């Protein structure tokens, strides 16, 4: 009986909640969907905070032509079903015109289809599946597509003089996408991939996987992945005495476990431009607000997503159709925390400012750029 | 002196030693947790999903004891306290939950234990947050005759061995231990012969909780802590327990060793060169299959044996 | 708001079919399936793979309805002599094997990337299809429940030896009911694939299986209307907690964790205080011998 009561109560609360939203007509609601529970929580949380920082900035500067932004954050649990629940609630109950989302392609694509059906806008800050290009006018990506960045990564490895390379990536769309594009570029320049390890995320022990890689004695190791697993992997590699240099897509997302050992050994291609300008300002605000300085690129993606959205709302109106029409225009003149944003006609980020960065003395140094 | 492993394929032989070392380390990591599952199964006759979650609880407690400002206990002491605290939590869970459902079917208890695990997992996530926590344990790398391992690995294997010896002495050399074994082999008979069943069950919970906490802490030091880590190690641990025969406490250790060697060697051996002349090995992502397939295989073998006995 | 209601009812209908399917296996027959998500995944993947190969929707749907019962036989026949807790582990493992296979066959099943499935034309179509499926499943489950066959299943659940002495072969009953139940769950999977427009391995984990279990245990194992109520409550809890989070202004991750904790609590509390569920099964086992 108690459960029935709680349902009724929840229903009543829900209705009341909606009434209060309706009465406060002034703020403009913006949806945020992120996996605050489940896997990749840290990255997801930081993206959400990036959006919050941007909303703070926008509201402090007078909001959207006088109306403040009101963020509604929903959890996706890293499950497609819950992501759909969250998105449906945001689009149909909270009546948001646009939502900013973190999540893998298995969550992003169903939500993109829903957004398209509802005639709304979705801004992607985390998934780089090529399938996302199939929703022009609905889905816009702040994160650059991986194949662009990974191609440069493959070239970088080839230019380093390595003849053979091993690839170790997480067994997900992100990892396999990077592996494929980087390997293709490396092979095109005459390199050989001696081993590809696609590991299951969240494993407690990667010795078996890494031993396979060790027995091939590669000149270089190509990798990508999220902090939690990369820490375990880098440690195991160090302990097993594998000394090859590392080349990573987004090395700044990796968690360096032993700075001394990694000194000068890790480099890679990353989104350029965080270190100065807007990126630096966002970093400072983040540190001040959340008392944490271990920050990932997704803070900048979240920040830029909210900023671009707000700019479009200011210029062209706050309904989804106007946002979708105006955003590609305002993006052209927008200088973001993650650098210049260039979209192709499908709203996918291409030609991002790329930095080649190397890990030295406990931090990343920019050793080259490509704009 | 060089190591005397001679294998017929081209890989340098010290890799065999290394893969053996890797297997032993992984086996130790899961053995301590698997033993607790068996202990519980041997007396209460159900596979306890919540046990693996208790290991994670133990890891988090040890982490808290070692890092909370003002407390910052040395690691061994923190783990010891976490073991006692987790043992008491296990007893508490028995008092609140499992003691009330002693009479229901094994599968009913399994479902309840899933509920308990889900509850604890969500609570851990609510308290500690979903992001990973990391123990910073300084380790030294040791290279010995071509085999590489770390001081932490030695600790993990050493503690596991020590715990197994202690558990063996307790079960086979003490009166209480014999009483526990009597309960495991025939509960009704043991109780009618005057063995205090309920008190010993509580003791069993305490022991398995404490073991889980130590196993979980070692695990966390090797990798990290996350509320949902139990879902990742669930299948390997259950596979180890099943291979070992479910209710045989030391069988679970054997199961962990068999599983670990299978996982490490099967994806490392170059089957291609052995049979076809072209280098090829089982793709590493199939490592998870090995655990699940081992689990299924053993259960199906049990099934055909059970059928044979019936006829 | 009406859109959200349509969406919620669709989700509830699909999960109710899953709960009914588990109820046929566990509630009526006593088969402990910890891999209930497997037939659901088979259905969704059949829809996805069919679409990716360019076939019309009914090809995928037909494949689902053929493969699901075959898989159920493959799982139940070798395991027939094992006690139910072993069978629980086998089904758990089987579901995991299927998920891993889909994850590691990118060219066939999309791998980690998943597969697109054509969506229902509009949300009302999805609603009608799901409700229709629920109605058919419910009608079928009720028919089984009231038939002599259903009463025999209950005898089997209570006492396999008694069932054998009545001259019935337990495995034939178990196999036919699980084949029927898996067809039901696979049909729900096909509908879900076309409803969500996407299939990926992450949607079919052990966690999902236990959400179905929570619904069955809460509603009342053995009682069809009960498990449907259970599914409704569980899905409503999921949906409504989002509004609660917004209303009380707590962080949404905290609310999400508390919601999951409440699922765990439901399982434990129901087993201790009300194992028969909210709407208990009417006891009529003793009639079986008279048929």
């Amino acid at each position: 009986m108690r459960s029935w009561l709680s349902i009724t109560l929840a229903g009543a609360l829900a209705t009341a909640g909606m009434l209060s939203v309706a009465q406060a007509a002034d703020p403009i609601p913006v949806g945020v969907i992120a996996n605050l529970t489940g896997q990749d929580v840290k990255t997801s949380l930081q993206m959400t905070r990036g959006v919050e920082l941007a909303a703070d900035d926008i509201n402090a500067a007078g909001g959207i032509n006088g109306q403040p932004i009101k963020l509604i954050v929903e959890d996706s649990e890293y499950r497609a079903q819950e992501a759909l629940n969250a998105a449906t609630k945001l689009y149909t109950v909270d009546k948001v015109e646009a939502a900013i989302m973190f999540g893998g392609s298995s969550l992003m694509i169903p939500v993109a289809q829903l957004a398209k059906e509802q005639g709304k806008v979705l801004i992607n800050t985390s998934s780089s599946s090529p399938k996302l290009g199939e929703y022009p006018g609905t889905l816009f990506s702040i994160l650059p597509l991986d194949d662009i960045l990974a191609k440069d990564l493959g070239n970088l490895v080839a230019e380093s003089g390595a003849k053979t390379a091993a690839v170790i990536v997480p067994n997900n769309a992100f990892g396999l996408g990077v592996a494929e594009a980087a390997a293709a570029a490396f092979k095109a320049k005459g390199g050989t991939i001696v081993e590809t390890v696609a590991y299951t995320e969240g494993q407690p022990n990667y010795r078996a996987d890494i031993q396979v890689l060790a027995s091939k004695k590669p000149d270089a190791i190509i990798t990508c992945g999220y902090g939690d697993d990369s820490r375990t992997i880098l440690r195991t590699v160090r302990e097993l005495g594998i000394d090859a240099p590392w080349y990573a897509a987004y090395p700044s997302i990796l968690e360096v476990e032993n700075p001394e050992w990694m000194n000068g050994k890790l480099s890679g291609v990353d989104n350029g431009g965080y270190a100065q300008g807007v990126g630096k300002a966002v970093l400072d605000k983040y540190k001040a607000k959340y008392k944490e300085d271990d920050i990932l690129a997704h803070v900048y993606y979240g920040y830029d997503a909210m900023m671009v959205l707000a700019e479009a709302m200011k210029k062209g109106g706050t309904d989804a159709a106007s946002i979708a029409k105006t955003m590609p225009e305002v993006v052209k003149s927008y200088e973001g925390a993650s650098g210049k944003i260039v979209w192709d006609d499908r709203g996918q980020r291409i030609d991002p400012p790329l930095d080649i960065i190397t890990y030295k003395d406990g931090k990343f140094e920019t050793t080259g750029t490509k704009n | 002196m060089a190591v005397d492993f001679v294998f017929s394929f081209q890989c340098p032989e010290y890799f065999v030693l290394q893969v053996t070392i890797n297997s032993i380390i992984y086996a130790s990591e899961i053995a301590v947790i698997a033993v607790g599952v068996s202990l519980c199964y041997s007396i209460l006759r159900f596979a306890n999903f919540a046990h693996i979650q208790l290991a994670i609880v133990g890891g988090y407690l040890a982490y808290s004891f070692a890092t909370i400002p003002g407390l910052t206990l040395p690691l061994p002491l923190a783990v010891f306290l976490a073991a006692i605290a987790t043992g008491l939590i296990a007893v508490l869970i028995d008092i609140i939950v499992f003691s009330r459902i002693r009479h229901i079917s094994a599968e009913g208890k399994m479902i309840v234990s899933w509920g308990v695990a889900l509850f604890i997992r969500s609570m851990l996530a609510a308290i500690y947050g979903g992001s990973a926590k990391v123990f910073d344990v300084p380790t030294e790398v040791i290279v010995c005759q071509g085999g590489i391992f770390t001081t932490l690995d030695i600790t993990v294997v050493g503690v596991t061995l020590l715990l197994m010896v202690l558990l063996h002495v307790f079960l086979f050399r003490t009166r209480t231990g014999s009483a526990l074994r009597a309960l495991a082999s025939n509960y009704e008979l043991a109780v009618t012969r005057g063995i205090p069943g309920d008190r010993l069950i509580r003791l069993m919970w305490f022991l398995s909780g404490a073991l889980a906490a130590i196993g979980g802490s070692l695990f966390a030091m090797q990798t990290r802590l996350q509320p949902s880590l139990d879902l990742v190690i669930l299948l390997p641990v259950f596979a180890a327990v099943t291979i070992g025969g479910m209710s045989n406490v030391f069988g679970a250790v054997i199961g962990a060793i068999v599983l670990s060697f299978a996982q490490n060697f099967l994806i490392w051996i170059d089957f291609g060169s052995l049979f076809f002349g072209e280098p090829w090995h089982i793709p590493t992502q199939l490592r998870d299959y090995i655990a699940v397939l081992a689990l299924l295989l053993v259960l199906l073998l049990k099934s055909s044996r059970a059928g044979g006995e019936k006829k | 708001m009406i859109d959200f209601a349509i969406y919620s009812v669709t989700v509830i209908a699909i999960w109710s079919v899953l709960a009914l399917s588990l109820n046929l296996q566990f509630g009526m027959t006593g088969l402990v399936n910890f891999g209930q998500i497997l037939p659901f995944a088979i259905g969704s993947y059949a829809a996805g793979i069919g679409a990716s190969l360019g076939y019309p929707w009914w090809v995928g749907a037909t494949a689902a309805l053929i493969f699901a019962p075959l898989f159920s036989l493959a799982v139940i026949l070798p395991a027939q002599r094992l006690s139910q807790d072993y069978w629980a582990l086998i089904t758990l493992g089987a579901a995991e094997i299927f998920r891993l296979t889909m994850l590691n066959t990118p060219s066939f099943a999309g791998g980690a990337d998943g597969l697109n499935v054509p969506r229902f034309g509009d949300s009302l179509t999805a609603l009608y299809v799901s409700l229709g499926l629920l109605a058919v499943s419910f009608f079928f489950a009720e028919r089984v429940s009231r038939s002599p066959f259903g009463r025999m299943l209950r005898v089997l659940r209570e006492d396999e030896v008694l069932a054998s002495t009545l001259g019935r072969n337990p495995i034939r009953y178990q196999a036919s009911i699980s084949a029927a139940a898996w067809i039901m769950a696979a049909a729900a999977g096909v509908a879900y694939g076309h409803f969500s427009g996407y299939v990926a391995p992450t949607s079919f984990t052990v966690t999902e299986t236990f959400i179905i279990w929570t619904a069955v245990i809460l509603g009342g194992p053995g009682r069809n209307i009960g498990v449907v109520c259970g599914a409704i409550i569980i899905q409503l809890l999921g949906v409504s907690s989002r509004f609660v989070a917004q209303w009380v202004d707590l962080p949404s991750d905290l609310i999400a964790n508390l919601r999951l904790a409440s699922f765990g609590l439901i399982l434990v509390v129901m087993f201790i205080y009300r194992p028969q569920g909210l709407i208990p099964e009417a006891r009529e086992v003793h009639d079986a011998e008279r048929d």
Side-chain angles (χ1 to χ4, degrees), chain B residues 4-84:
Chain B
D4 273 345
F5 285 106
V6 181
F7 270 66
S8 58
F9 34 90
Q10 293 90 336
C11 303
E13 59 239 27
Y14 75 86
F15 276 132
V16 175
L17 173 67
Q18 187 60 50
V19 178
T20 308
I21 291 173
N22 296 345
S23 308
I24 292 172
I25 294 168
Y26 185 59
S28 308
E29 284 171 356
I30 53 176
V32 184
I33 301 174
V35 161
V37 175
S38 284
L39 198 59
C40 179
Y41 191 93
S42 70
I43 293 175
L44 295 178
R45 302 279 156 194
F46 77 99
N48 184 6
F49 287 113
H51 181 84
I52 302 168
Q53 191 62 52
L54 276 182
I56 312 297
V57 171
Y60 269 104
L61 285 177
Y63 176 82
S64 297
F65 292 144
T67 55
I68 286 178
L71 202 59
T72 53
L73 298 174
L75 212 45
L77 187 60
V79 173
F80 180 72
L81 284 183
I84 292 179

Side-chain angles (χ1 to χ4, degrees), chain A residues 16-358:
Chain A
M18 264 145 5
L19 286 178
S20 75
V21 170
Q23 280 161 358
D26 266 342
I28 299 172
V30 170
V32 180
I33 305 168
N35 39 292
L36 303 169
T37 56
Q39 43 171 322
D40 295 338
V41 173
K42 182 176 173 185
T43 333
S44 184
L45 186 67
Q46 293 208 352
M47 191 290 291
T48 311
R49 288 173 170 177
V51 177
E52 281 169 8
L53 286 176
D56 290 351
D57 284 359
I58 295 159
N59 289 342
I64 309 294
N65 306 326
Q67 288 175 282
I69 294 277
K70 181 171 172 281
L71 293 180
I72 304 171
V73 182
E74 295 289 339
D75 182 30
S76 67
E77 293 178 23
Y78 216 99
R79 290 174 51 217
Q81 172 69 67
E82 286 301 328
L84 276 173
N85 286 358
T88 311
K89 170 184 176 283
L90 286 171
Y91 287 135
T92 66
V93 180
D94 299 320
K95 307 278 183 207
V96 305
E97 294 294 316
I100 299 168
M101 180 165 171
F102 183 98
S105 54
S106 62
L107 286 77
M108 193 72 71
I109 291 174
V111 172
Q113 291 188 327
L114 178 82
K116 189 177 172 193
E117 209 173 271
Q118 297 277 340
K120 308 280 179 150
V121 167
L122 181 69
I123 305 179
N124 157 34
T125 62
S126 65
S127 170
S128 44
S129 163
K131 284 186 181 169
L132 294 173
E134 293 164 17
Y135 307 94
T138 297
L139 185 131
F140 299 88
S141 290
I142 292 294
L143 182 92
L145 289 179
D146 286 335
D147 43 358
I148 298 160
L149 190 139
K151 193 174 155 225
D152 281 322
L153 180 66
N155 291 337
L156 180 69
V157 181
E159 283 156 20
S160 76
K163 294 279 168 266
T164 60
V167 180
I168 180 161
V169 292
N171 192 10
N172 60 23
F174 169 50
L176 299 175
V178 166
E180 196 178 322
F186 182 60
K187 281 186 205 155
K189 296 222 163 178
T192 313
I193 299 289
V194 288
E195 185 61 57
T196 301
V197 173
Y199 61 83
T200 307
E201 288 174 276
Q203 287 291 320
N205 180 317
Y206 289 109
R207 278 171 181 269
D209 312 60
I210 290 164
Q211 198 65 57
V212 171
L213 185 147
S215 59
K216 298 289 167 59
K217 295 202 187 326
D219 295 340
I221 303 172
I222 299 173
T223 192
C224 70
Y226 290 111
D228 296 338
D229 289 318
S230 65
R231 190 178 182 283
T232 317
I233 284 174
L234 291 178
R235 201 183 79 179
T236 311
V237 166
R238 173 174 61 83
E239 288 170 359
L240 288 177
I242 303 169
D243 241 2
W246 288 78
Y247 295 89
Y250 308 105
S252 62
I253 319 182
L254 302 183
E255 207 162 301
V256 173
E257 164 266 344
N258 186 322
E260 234 169 273
W261 174 75
M262 216 28 160
N263 201 12
K265 202 179 282 178
L266 169 65
S267 51
V269 183
D270 213 312
N271 224 324
Y274 316 138
Q276 54 273 13
V278 187
K280 179 78 174 64
V282 171
L283 175 67
D284 292 341
K285 278 178 213 155
Y286 187 94
K287 283 179 183 166
K289 186 167 179 186
Y290 300 107
K291 314 276 179 262
E292 199 183 271
D293 50 6
D294 173 22
I295 92 165
L296 306 170
H298 289 82
V299 172
Y300 307 117
Y301 297 143
Y303 186 90
D304 283 350
M306 185 64 241
M307 278 302 189
V308 170
L309 177 62
E311 288 299 314
M313 283 176 159
K314 276 185 209 165
K315 294 240 168 68
T318 55
D319 64 295
S322 312
I323 293 170
K325 212 173 89 213
T326 323
M327 242 185 345
E329 295 305 314
V330 298
V331 123
K332 286 176 185 160
S333 57
Y334 175 73
E335 188 66 33
S338 64
K340 202 157 55 70
I341 297 173
V342 181
W343 274 338
D344 63 7
D345 51 2
R346 301 169 307 164
Q348 298 297 302
R349 190 170 182 181
I350 50 166
D351 206 15
L354 294 178
D355 279 353
I356 293 164
I357 59 179
T358 305

Side-chain angles (χ1 to χ4, degrees), chain B residues 71-151:
Chain B
L71 202 59
T72 53
L73 298 174
L75 212 45
L77 187 60
V79 173
F80 180 72
L81 284 183
I84 292 179
T86 312
L88 293 176
I89 292 174
V91 173
L92 191 69
I93 293 174
D94 182 56
I95 294 173
I96 299 175
V97 180
F98 290 112
S99 67
R100 295 166 190 251
I101 51 164
R102 292 257 198 274
H103 57 279
I104 69 168
S105 64
E107 52 275 16
K109 288 178 195 155
M110 278 169 89
I111 297 167
V112 173
S113 78
W114 180 271
V116 173
L118 180 58
F119 181 78
I120 300 176
R121 189 185 311 133
S122 317
M123 282 316 193
L124 278 181
I127 296 168
Y128 289 93
S131 343
K133 302 261 183 271
V134 181
F135 273 103
D136 256 322
V137 190
T139 59
E140 298 271 329
V141 177
I142 297 170
V143 181
C144 178
Q145 315 228 339
I148 304 169
F149 46 90
T150 68
T151 43

